[in-house]
């Protein structure tokens, strides 16, 4: 069974940093569709970053501030978030096999989410 478990969320002041981790099982981290997603109350699901066959993609809103990476030995994906802004506040999810550039909870495998709160 494919499972994903996020951790590393929390509360931080604007300009601070957080590193999210996603431990995956049932598949290896070289899955061609691994990504980080977020959703704030009242907002649509947003694809933050995705790895497709080793190529990375970032939403314009986080480009230059966030970095996606992986540790194959630990079957873990990471999202390093720097220069955080209040508008980054959301529940962050890691997910697999959602689809290319897609953000839809009906597809793929999703973790339980981890809350990120950025205070102004």
């Amino acid at each position: 069974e494919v499972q994903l478990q996020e951790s590393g969320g929390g509360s931080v002041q604007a300009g601070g940093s957080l590193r999210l981790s996603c431990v995956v099982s049932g598949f290896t981290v070289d899955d061609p569709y691994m990504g980080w997603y977020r959703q704030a109350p009242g907002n649509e699901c947003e694809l933050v970053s995705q790895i497709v066959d080793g190529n990375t993609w970032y939403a314009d809103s986080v480009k230059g501030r966030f970095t996606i990476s992986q540790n194959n030995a630990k079957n873990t994906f990471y999202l390093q978030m720097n220069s955080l802004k209040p508008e980054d506040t959301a529940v962050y999810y890691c997910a697999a096999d959602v689809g290319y550039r897609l953000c839809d909870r009906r597809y793929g495998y999703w973790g339980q989410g981890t809350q990120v709160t950025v205070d102004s």
Side-chain angles (χ1 to χ4, degrees), residues 8 16-17 20 30 36 39-42 48 60 67 76 88 91-92 95 100 102 108 114 118:
S17 299
L20 306 183
D30 62 349
W36 286 95
Q39 187 164 16
V48 176
D60 288 340
T67 303
T76 304
D88 294 319
V91 178
Y92 284 71
Y100 184 73
L102 182 66
T114 185
V118 184

Side-chain angles (χ1 to χ4, degrees), residues 1 4 35 45 62 64 67 94 104-105:
E1 180 182 357
L4 303 92
C45 176
V62 307
T67 303
C94 62
D104 193 330
R105 295 289 299 272

Side-chain angles (χ1 to χ4, degrees), residues 7-64:
S7 62
S11 182
V12 66
Q13 295 293 317
S17 299
L18 287 172
R19 191 183 195 188
L20 306 183
S21 299
C22 176
V23 179
V24 299
S25 62
F27 58 92
T28 56
V29 295
D30 62 349
D31 186 279
Y33 298 96
M34 292 296 303
W36 286 95
Y37 307 76
R38 68 186 182 186
Q39 187 164 16
N43 292 350
E44 296 180 346
C45 176
E46 180 183 9
L47 172 59
V48 176
S49 183
Q50 190 172 51
I51 296 181
V52 180
D53 293 328
N55 298 313
T56 59
W57 178 92
Y58 298 92
D60 288 340
S61 60
V62 307
K63 194 173 299 181

